[in-house]
Amino acid sequence: QADLAGEDATTLARCILLRTPVAAYYPNSFSKSQYLESMSRYPTHNTDYASCRGFDCPFYTDGRDDVPTPEWCWAGSFYWHEEKCYHSNPDKAMLVQVRVGSDLGVGQQIEEDMAKHLGLKIVKIHCDENLHPDNGRIIARQLHEAGVLVWDGEASLRTSSGCRYPGHANLKRGPALL
């Protein structure tokens, strides 16, 4: 199914949420590993990409009032964005987490720990396969069941490879966001 490149489960979830519309931070849009190449402020920090928990990140703790830059550790940047989301609307803030396959990746486990640390609601979406033509419907159904959106069950849009997903007319904000 290589023809589905770019239409992976995470990208589809983002596309569906943006059509709702839901304000969201999508970390895959940003590169946060450049600091390892430059070895700038904290040369030994999080070199395994798994030892930082965000809230204990020196980029975050020393620059809490700064907007993250590509120099920041990915975890510190992610936590900064989660915290901003939480403080802007604590009752509605949530982590929407897409799990593909049977287990969360190490980074996703860290993201979940960060959300729990802040007290964010965690909405878990699961797709058996990363690239599957039914993922758009699977994701929309799970977001609907979690109250993130209201979906009428129709998947009116189709990607270039045939994956169907809901369009604007089929979606609106769910009770969890109202």
Side-chain angles (χ1 to χ4, degrees):
Q1 294 187 354
D3 65 321
L4 292 175
E7 297 165 14
D8 60 275
T10 302
T11 302
L12 282 168
R14 177 180 182 235
C15 183
I16 291 166
L17 288 170
L18 288 174
R19 291 188 186 300
T20 302
V22 173
Y25 167 64
Y26 185 65
N28 294 2
S29 296
F30 303 94
S31 173
K32 291 296 174 201
S33 61
Q34 295 172 8
Y35 81 96
L36 288 177
E37 296 167 11
S38 66
M39 299 306 254
S40 59
R41 287 192 280 177
Y42 309 101
T44 60
H45 175 69
N46 203 22
T47 56
D48 62 354
Y49 292 98
S51 57
C52 180
R53 293 295 182 247
F55 48 83
D56 62 355
C57 178
F59 289 94
Y60 169 77
T61 58
D62 294 350
R64 191 173 298 215
D65 296 326
D66 299 337
V67 175
T69 67
E71 179 188 34
W72 279 44
C73 161
W74 77 267
S77 175
F78 193 91
Y79 186 77
W80 184 92
H81 283 91
E82 275 192 339
E83 183 182 56
K84 293 295 181 197
C85 178
Y86 178 77
H87 289 303
S88 71
N89 197 340
D91 296 332
K92 308 289 184 216
M94 64 183 73
L95 168 66
V96 176
Q97 188 174 60
V98 179
R99 176 174 54 95
V100 177
S102 60
D103 298 314
L104 291 174
V106 173
Q108 289 178 304
Q109 292 170 17
I110 294 168
E111 292 167 0
E112 188 173 307
D113 289 345
M114 290 182 219
K116 288 177 181 175
H117 182 81
L118 282 168
L120 287 176
K121 175 182 178 178
I122 301 171
V123 175
K124 296 183 178 225
I125 305 301
H126 176 250
C127 293
D128 289 328
E129 299 174 40
N130 194 34
L131 303 171
H132 191 279
D134 289 331
N135 277 354
R137 284 182 248 179
I138 291 167
I139 293 164
R141 178 182 47 77
Q142 291 178 47
L143 289 169
H144 175 84
E145 290 170 356
V148 175
L149 55 81
V150 175
W151 177 44
D152 66 8
E154 294 296 318
S156 60
L157 300 177
R158 187 182 298 268
T159 64
S160 59
S161 61
C163 182
R164 295 181 61 96
Y165 63 99
H168 292 288
N170 309 109
L171 299 169
K172 62 182 179 180
R173 288 176 184 231
L177 297 174
L178 299 176

